[in-house]
Amino acid sequence: MSNGIPTVVPQPAVPATTIKPTDLRGILKYVPRFQGQIFIIAMDGSIVADENFSNLLIDIAVLRSLAIRVVLVHGIGHQLIELSVARNIPISNADGSGVTDAATLDLAIRASSRVSHALVEGLTQNALKCATTNAVRALPIGIIRGVDQQFTAKVERIDKDFILELIERQVVPVVSPIAFGPDGRSLRVNSDLLAAELAEALHATKILFLSPAAGLEIDGVVRREISVDALRQILQDEPARVSEYSRSKATHAVKAIETGTPRVHILDGRIFDGVLNEVFSNEGVGSLVYGNDYQQIRKARKSDVRLLYNLTRAAIRREELIYRSQQAIEKNIDHFFVFEIDENIIACVTLYFYPDRPQLAEVGSLYVMPFYHHRGIGKKMVDYASMVAKERGATMVIALSTQSFGFFTNVCGFEEATKDILPEARLKSFEESGRNPKVLVRKLA
Ligand SMILES: CC(C)(COP(=O)(O)OP(=O)(O)OC[C@H]1O[C@@H](n2cnc3c(N)ncnc32)[C@H](O)[C@@H]1OP(=O)(O)O)[C@@H](O)C(=O)NCCC(=O)NCCS
């Protein structure tokens, strides 16, 4: 030092960490996006037995602390095989996808109790409240290709209100692959199937499948991302291209996305911090199967008329929509688009053009079945109709709404306008209806 006095370097008040501000910013951007959403975390039995299990529980505690609502589903294959070997009792199937005979069911119940207990214990150690339930009701699969599947079952019904109530009370539901039949007796369900069914019933935004493999392996290579269309095609045409271990997860990922879950992740549950990296980074560490936003929307057909009539009846009673007879729907069927889940129509929207104002289109008769509200389907329908309008040359879409104008302005980016914007013929029907709806417009950039 020039004056001989040592310079005192100010020390940071907080000790330095390895987290860079840029990392933190990257993570924080996901937090509001995921708040309040439901993630289904489906762990294979071997992951519960792995040494990384205790770290996974900490990851789950982190998700909970960020107000992400978590439902845990577990498999039991690993523990079932261990029990079978230890007790020298042969099993008919390990993963709930083949025949479950009485001896296998008995061992499966024991294996399931062990795994559920390990989860409950681990969650307790992380100060998380949790509960195992009888919320899953099942039905025996019956005879498939001449073979009685005995105690192997499919999900018949999920008591979603029960599970949602637990979640509301900050309890993590732990769901085991032993479900209950009509007579209350135990039945075995495949845990990948169970995760997909729970995701549908609870309107989850993600499933995270945790297995002891690096991800979804296709042609011997782990795919980091694949669209549901591409994966469905491979599973239909050349299933052997998907590694045997990944196949059940791949099949149920497709099922989950087709029934409304936007994203499914398949990742190695043995990797330290794997879950947090997958959820909070752009790259992720496993495989992501994603849906096409508009894949469930199609043009309505004549055969949909009765369904559309029945679908919208309740909204008409509440005066949310204008009454249309079946004949009127049939006459205008070419203007309807529908949203399907599992081949059931759950939402509709119409799109009209005015011959004298080709740059203007009108979005109407928007309806989403209440069970499917708050999942972005209403916005998707409006966005889709707007996209079609733009493709056909419109520069602006309008919507007339009496009760849902807040949805159009706050969610879909419409602005309020005056009725002068309406073409003459539309203005006439607007005034004759006596409903006095708000006129809303959206410019198509
Ligand atoms: C309006 C409707 C289509 C929204 O469907 P949806 O699939 O739930 O919509 P999205 O999931 O895309 O958006 C949900 C958001 O819309 C907003 N929203 C929904 N209905 C609203 C209303 N009546 N007023 C103001 N905002 C509303 C809320 O902000 C909601 O956010 P949240 O999920 O955080 O609560 C649906 O409620 C419906 O079918 N209603 C009855 C028929 C109707 O009114 N149609 C409009 C005729 S013009």
Side-chain angles (χ1 to χ4, degrees):
M1 299 299 127
S2 57
N3 58 5
I5 303 168
T7 309
V8 177
V9 180
Q11 292 300 308
V14 180
T17 72
T18 51
I19 297 179
K20 296 195 274 314
T22 42
D23 290 344
L24 195 57
R25 232 173 270 137
I27 294 168
L28 288 178
K29 79 170 182 230
Y30 290 95
V31 173
R33 200 163 102 196
F34 292 145
Q35 251 170 19
Q37 296 189 351
I38 297 181
F39 288 8
I40 308 288
I41 301 188
M43 291 186 196
D44 280 5
S46 55
I47 297 304
V48 178
D50 192 83
E51 57 185 25
N52 191 46
F53 176 58
S54 53
N55 297 320
L56 275 176
L57 294 164
I58 297 171
D59 291 358
I60 290 166
V62 171
L63 297 181
R64 287 292 305 114
S65 71
L66 296 174
I68 293 169
R69 309 192 292 172
V70 173
V71 176
L72 288 183
V73 184
H74 68 79
I76 52 171
H78 174 86
Q79 290 75 5
L80 184 55
I81 293 168
E82 262 186 1
L83 273 176
S84 157
V85 172
R87 298 187 179 194
N88 200 17
I89 301 172
I91 51 172
S92 51
N93 168 265
D95 67 3
S97 65
V99 175
T100 304
D101 62 18
T104 305
L105 179 69
D106 183 55
L107 287 187
I109 294 169
R110 287 165 204 272
S112 177
S113 309
R114 279 189 189 182
V115 179
S116 289
H117 182 78
L119 277 163
V120 171
E121 186 178 65
L123 292 166
T124 310
Q125 284 161 2
N126 283 278
L128 289 173
K129 286 196 220 169
C130 62
T132 56
T133 74
N134 58 355
V136 181
R137 295 298 162 136
L139 279 177
I141 289 181
I143 297 167
I144 303 228
R145 282 179 229 105
V147 181
D148 186 351
Q149 305 294 302
Q150 301 185 41
F151 298 100
T152 301
K154 59 186 175 196
V155 173
E156 187 220 1
R157 182 169 53 83
I158 290 175
D159 188 343
K160 77 175 174 68
D161 293 340
F162 179 19
I163 297 187
L164 289 174
E165 198 178 321
L166 291 175
I167 294 173
E168 282 307 317
R169 291 172 179 241
Q170 316 298 324
V171 175
V172 176
V174 175
V175 186
S176 95
I178 303 294
F180 301 94
D183 54 2
R185 301 250 176 106
S186 300
L187 293 166
R188 174 85 207 275
V189 180
N190 173 277
S191 62
D192 298 337
L193 167 75
L194 191 54
E197 296 273 1
L198 278 162
E200 180 187 2
L202 302 174
H203 298 170
T205 37
K206 274 184 196 302
I207 300 178
L208 291 136
F209 280 120
L210 306 181
S211 69
L216 177 59
E217 205 178 279
I218 300 176
D219 301 325
V221 178
V222 172
R223 289 283 286 267
R224 287 293 163 219
E225 275 196 0
I226 185 166
S227 75
V228 71
D229 294 335
L231 183 56
R232 187 192 304 105
Q233 202 69 49
I234 293 173
L235 287 167
Q236 265 165 20
D237 301 345
E238 303 164 281
R241 287 177 59 196
V242 181
S243 73
E244 207 179 327
Y245 198 85
S246 302
R247 221 170 290 152
S248 166
K249 308 259 181 296
T251 306
H252 291 99
V254 171
K255 176 183 161 45
I257 292 172
E258 283 175 345
T259 54
T261 307
R263 283 163 174 245
V264 176
H265 302 257
I266 302 170
L267 65 148
D268 193 335
R270 300 166 303 177
I271 297 180
F272 178 69
D273 271 355
V275 166
L276 296 184
N277 270 306
E278 185 69 21
V279 173
F280 297 115
S281 82
N282 280 331
E283 287 85 28
V285 296
S287 305
L288 170 68
V289 187
Y290 57 92
N292 163 358
D293 269 358
Y294 300 129
Q295 70 178 356
Q296 287 147 301
I297 303 177
R298 65 163 171 82
K299 278 195 80 164
R301 303 187 274 257
K302 278 241 159 68
S303 54
D304 298 327
V305 169
R306 195 178 48 79
L307 292 171
L308 282 168
Y309 178 75
N310 289 337
L311 180 74
T312 50
R313 263 203 324 211
I316 290 164
R317 269 200 300 274
R318 290 191 298 269
E319 293 187 25
E320 290 163 342
L321 295 181
I322 302 176
Y323 173 74
R324 281 176 196 263
S325 63
Q326 290 205 46
Q327 288 83 344
I329 295 177
E330 186 167 354
K331 196 168 152 226
N332 290 291
I333 196 72
D334 287 342
H335 296 279
F336 275 86
F337 293 95
V338 296
F339 190 103
E340 273 187 331
I341 290 187
D342 257 356
E343 296 178 23
N344 292 315
I345 295 178
I346 60 103
C348 64
V349 71
T350 56
L351 182 66
Y352 284 91
F353 287 86
Y354 301 103
D356 51 335
R357 297 273 293 279
Q359 70 284 30
L360 194 66
E362 181 178 340
V363 170
S365 295
L366 174 67
Y367 182 75
V368 179
M369 261 170 77
F371 179 78
Y372 293 97
H373 281 181
H374 311 292
R375 304 177 73 177
I377 295 174
K379 178 169 174 359
K380 229 176 248 183
M381 296 297 277
V382 173
D383 286 349
Y384 183 79
S386 305
M387 190 183 77
V388 174
K390 193 175 166 196
E391 277 169 10
R392 296 192 198 161
T395 55
M396 194 185 272
V397 280
I398 56 171
L400 305 185
S401 178
T402 50
Q403 295 178 33
S404 299
F405 44 85
F407 167 77
F408 284 99
T409 51
N410 304 340
V411 178
C412 302
F414 282 64
E415 285 171 12
E416 219 177 310
T418 62
K419 60 183 181 180
D420 311 335
I421 197 165
L422 301 174
E424 211 173 307
R426 187 65 179 101
L427 188 60
K428 192 158 172 275
S429 61
F430 172 92
E431 280 173 343
E432 280 169 8
S433 76
R435 297 175 86 233
N436 199 23
K438 283 197 193 278
V439 180
L440 306 148
V441 299
R442 181 197 213 180
K443 288 204 179 84
L444 302 173

